[in-house]
Amino acid sequence: MKRSDTYWMQRCLTLAAKGAGSVSPNPMVGAVIVKNGKVLGEGFHRQFGGPHAEIEAIRDADSRRHDPAGATMYVSLEPCSHTGKTPPCADALISNGFARVVVAVQDPNPKVSGRGIAKLRRYGIRCDVGVMEREARALNQAFFTHITTGRPFVAVKAAQTADGFIARQDGSSKWITNLRSRTEAHRLRTQFDAVMVGAGTVLMDDPELTVRHVQGRDPVRIVVDGRFTVPVTSKVFRPGARRILLTSARSARKYSGLINVLSELGVEVIALPGRSDTLPMDRVMKEIGKRGIASVLIEGGQGLSTAVLNAGVVHALYLFTARKKFGSGIRTFGDFSVSFRKQLRSQRSFAGDILREYSITYRKRR
C-alpha cells in the first residue's frame, strides 16, 4: 500500500519529539528517507551541537547499505543552508542525489528562512512545503517563539487544592498533589530550558529545582528577587546546572558583597536598571531570551505567577488539581490587570489528581 506524505511526516514528528529536553535552543527535528515505498533510513536531532536529523537519517541509510540517490527525504523543518555548529544539511541532500524533499514548515531562523529550500530547488530537487505544518509548528512552539520574538516560550505550572489554594495561610504547601503528579511535574521540568521562581518560594521552600523521579537534564535555575532577600546559601544556587539571579540595580549596589559571593559560585547576576525594586516581567523575559534560553517554566507562588500573567508574557498554563481541600489559604492567583483567554488543550489524571494544560491568549486592548 502506498503511504501518503502525511503518513511519513507523522513519522518525522514522532522521531523529532525524541529530542525533547536535549536539543534546545535548537528545534526538534525528525527525518525519514523513503524510496519506492520503503524506508531507507531515519533519524532525529538528538542533542544540541550534534548532527541534524537529515544527517542522522543519511547515516542510518548508509548503515543499512541503502543508496539514497533518487529517494525522497521527509523532514519536519526546512534543511539548513548555512554552517553553524554543523555543516549545511542542504548540501548533504544535494551531494547524495535526493530527487525530492518534503518539508513540514519553513525555518523561521533568518539564517535559513527559505534559503535551504531555494538552494535545493536550484539544484533540481523538487521541494514540497507545508505537509502537517500546524503540527510541526506546535511541536516547536518554544523554538518559533524564541527565534521570532527574542523572548522565551513561557508556561506557568501550579499545584492547587480542589478549592483553589496553593498553600495554607502560613505559606506551607508541601505535598498538595500525590507522587504520580509530582513525578509528572519533574518530567515537565525536563521539557523546559529553565525553571523560574520568585524570592518568596526560595525563602519558604528552599527548593533545589533539579530533576528527580525521572531521567532528564536539570534545567537552568532562575531566581527573580528585586530586593535581593534570598540567602546566598540557598539550595537553588548550589553548583550544577546554570544558575541566574535577576535583581534590581539598586539592590545589586546595596549588596555588592553578596553579589560577589554568588559570582564566585558561578551564578550569573543580572541587575535590571530602574528606580524600583519591582522587576518588570516583560523586561525579565527579554533578558532571559538574550541569553539563549528558549523556554521557561514558572514554578513560583501566587506573586510571580500573577505577575507574569499580568505582564502578557505567558503562553501556556499547567494546572495540577488535587482532591484535598484547605478551606482557606493562599489562592492560586491574585488579581489580574489584563484580560486573557484560557483554552483547554489536554486533561490527564494521575491517581485522582487532574492535570489540565491550557494555552493562553491575550485579548487586545481597545
Side-chain angles (χ1 to χ4, degrees):
M1 181 178 69
K2 185 178 180 181
R3 306 288 191 182
S4 67
D5 287 347
T6 300
Y7 174 88
W8 295 118
M9 191 58 72
Q10 180 59 64
R11 177 59 183 163
C12 288
L13 295 174
T14 300
L15 287 166
K18 293 183 177 183
S22 300
V23 301
S24 186
N26 281 354
M28 294 174 280
V29 184
V32 179
I33 301 170
V34 179
K35 188 174 183 179
N36 298 324
K38 179 183 178 181
V39 175
L40 304 189
E42 59 183 28
F44 64 96
H45 187 32
R46 296 176 181 272
Q47 63 181 33
F48 178 71
H52 289 185
E54 299 95 319
I55 306 305
E56 291 279 11
I58 292 170
R59 289 177 179 176
D60 185 42
D62 183 62
S63 71
R64 302 186 195 189
R65 300 185 182 280
H66 293 315
D67 182 2
T72 296
M73 168 73 80
Y74 291 89
V75 61
S76 58
L77 187 71
E78 176 183 7
C80 63
S81 56
H82 69 292
T83 299
K85 290 186 176 294
T86 60
C89 292
D91 289 2
L93 300 185
I94 293 165
S95 63
N96 278 276
F98 281 88
R100 181 179 179 230
V101 176
V102 181
V103 177
V105 62
Q106 184 173 307
D107 192 332
N109 188 337
K111 294 179 180 179
V112 185
S113 197
R115 292 182 175 88
I117 294 167
K119 187 171 189 178
L120 293 172
R121 286 172 173 163
R122 282 200 306 271
Y123 280 83
I125 299 175
R126 175 184 168 188
C127 292
D128 297 309
V129 184
V131 177
M132 298 192 74
E133 179 176 351
R134 182 175 61 84
E135 292 82 355
R137 285 181 178 275
L139 178 67
N140 278 307
Q141 191 173 3
F143 170 74
F144 274 81
T145 298
H146 184 237
I147 208 74
T148 57
T149 69
R151 300 181 184 186
F153 176 86
V154 179
V156 172
K157 190 220 79 178
Q160 65 177 12
T161 60
D163 50 354
F165 298 101
I166 58 170
R168 297 188 185 278
Q169 206 63 53
D170 62 0
S172 60
S173 61
K174 201 166 187 179
W175 310 150
I176 285 179
T177 54
N178 60 40
L179 179 58
R180 286 187 59 187
S181 288
R182 297 197 298 275
T183 299
E184 176 62 16
H186 277 263
R187 189 201 65 78
L188 194 58
R189 278 184 185 174
T190 69
Q191 308 301 303
F192 285 79
D193 290 354
V195 173
M196 179 182 288
V197 296
T201 296
V202 177
L203 292 171
M204 178 60 67
D205 301 331
D206 195 17
E208 297 179 58
L209 300 185
T210 55
V211 171
R212 301 180 298 281
H213 309 301
V214 297
Q215 289 187 332
R217 67 176 182 180
D218 286 334
V220 178
R221 301 173 233 161
I222 303 175
V223 178
V224 178
D225 183 11
R227 294 183 176 84
F228 200 2
T229 57
V230 297
V232 295
T233 55
S234 299
K235 293 178 182 177
V236 72
F237 294 136
R238 289 178 179 175
R242 183 179 174 190
R243 293 142 293 153
I244 298 174
L245 169 71
L246 290 112
T247 191
S248 67
R250 184 165 61 178
S251 292
R253 289 191 298 269
K254 184 177 180 181
Y255 301 107
S256 58
L258 293 175
I259 293 292
N260 291 335
V261 171
L262 287 180
S263 296
E264 289 174 2
L265 290 172
V267 178
E268 181 181 356
V269 179
I270 303 172
L272 297 184
R275 299 179 180 178
S276 170
D277 288 335
T278 300
L279 304 183
M281 294 311 300
D282 56 344
R283 178 66 185 276
V284 166
M285 293 307 170
K286 188 178 295 184
E287 292 296 325
I288 293 301
K290 286 179 183 178
R291 286 157 175 81
I293 296 172
S295 59
V296 175
L297 182 64
I298 306 293
E299 290 196 14
Q302 183 196 82
L304 183 61
S305 296
T306 304
V308 290
L309 281 161
N310 280 335
V313 297
V314 178
H315 303 90
L317 168 64
Y318 295 91
L319 193 58
F320 289 86
T321 303
R323 290 177 175 177
K324 66 182 65 173
K325 296 181 179 181
F326 281 175
S328 63
I330 300 173
R331 291 283 182 186
T332 309
F333 301 108
D335 295 330
F336 294 123
S337 59
V338 298
S339 180
F340 60 87
R341 177 173 173 261
K342 294 190 307 180
Q343 181 179 359
L344 183 64
R345 300 295 299 273
S346 68
Q347 178 173 307
R348 288 177 286 164
S349 176
F350 296 94
D353 293 350
I354 302 296
L355 168 60
R356 295 180 177 89
E357 178 187 354
Y358 300 91
S359 61
I360 302 295
T361 304
Y362 289 88
R363 296 187 175 92
K364 294 182 180 180
R365 295 178 180 175
R366 296 181 178 178

